[in-house]
Amino acid sequence: MISDGEVLRELLAEGVSPWLDGLCRSLLAPERLAALVREAGVRGATSNPRALAADMARGTAYRQQLSHLACRSVPLDTSVQALCAYDLRSACDELRPVFDSTGGRDGHVSMDLDPHLAHDARATVVAAVALNRAACRPNALVKIPATDEGITAVGDCLARGVGVHVTEIFSVRRYEQVVEAYFDGLERALTAGRDLAAISSLASVPVARLDAEIDARLRALAPEAEPRTAAVAVARLVYRLYEERLGSERWRILAAAHAHPQRLMWEVSTPGGPAPEVPYVAGLVAWGTVSAMSEATLEAVARECRLQGDTLTGEAESARGAVAGLERRGVSLEEVAKKLEADGVDRLVSSWRALRGAVEDRLRRPRG
């Protein structure tokens, strides 16, 4: 558990909300998530199917519910949905005090849909509405990858009042499309008479995965290139676009109707990475953003991180220079983004397959 949360409290003072990345049932044990909220200042949580599968395989946290499902011969896919919905509801309840105390700006929990739907906008909307209804919590968010079809689904979900966490954003161009979908969805919700203050959204950039791909390409072209700098440049350009859109007349109309800004989240972990990504936390600081960290990274940040204030505001010009330098060296960021988007969906499909396999195995031997 976090022994000293001073750095994390400083992060909060800079306007960055620490989120727990990798929520699973064992982290919902009595007082465990509550302690992270209390001691580490955790302000939200996001789950993923691989974390759920790993937790199911190594522990007993899911045994009682799985036994209940097995005794009633509940189909596999329905069982997976029931397990996810239970985790989502429980975590939302734990974080409800944060949600209430921040006026709905924080305290959310996000959960994935079946990633096989990532290229089917209509099916994504149907599944998102179903998960939102099963959660029945105002601080629940549905995760939707930013594919072409996913962006269409994002706007449709928001128009129906379903909160969305948009994932797998790897370029400024794609983020601009996500913002457009957010504005469009809110405008349709407003026309339909919905309360915009009750609709929340996040847009997350997996900075560690972005750097890993760019660094691999740079090493092949220029072994002397400085590693782990490109993603911060992209993040700075994304943040600049965020500021520009919040200064638009279109946003002023939505804000007057009590809409919340769609917050930017930085995903600082590499799946299966060997070490916590502490430098990203200090290097991606700006007001109104979110830093998603594993429990191990939260602990490392509390122990090792040294903040240097706002590192994103006013840095767009230098970021453009850094991106132009990458292009001159032969690294196309659009090609990188397309590859990572496809890889991200494939990774989610693989993780979902692992989750289904773990559930299927436990349904066959519920007391094992």
Side-chain angles (χ1 to χ4, degrees), residues 277-308:
E277 303 288 354
V278 174
Y280 286 121
V281 178
L284 295 166
V285 173
W287 192 263
T289 58
V290 174
S291 187
M293 296 174 259
S294 66
E295 189 177 20
T297 302
L298 281 165
E299 293 171 355
V301 166
R303 188 173 59 248
E304 304 167 15
C305 192
R306 297 293 178 269
L307 299 181
Q308 301 172 352

Side-chain angles (χ1 to χ4, degrees), residues 10 53 86 122 238 249 361:
E10 290 176 8
Y86 183 96
R122 182 173 297 179
V238 166
E249 179 62 25
D361 181 56

Side-chain angles (χ1 to χ4, degrees), residues 23-33 86-87 90-91 94:
L23 178 75
C24 54
R25 188 73 56 91
S26 62
L27 286 169
L28 291 169
E31 280 298 302
R32 194 167 177 195
L33 180 57
Y86 183 96
D87 282 359
S90 300
E94 288 282 356

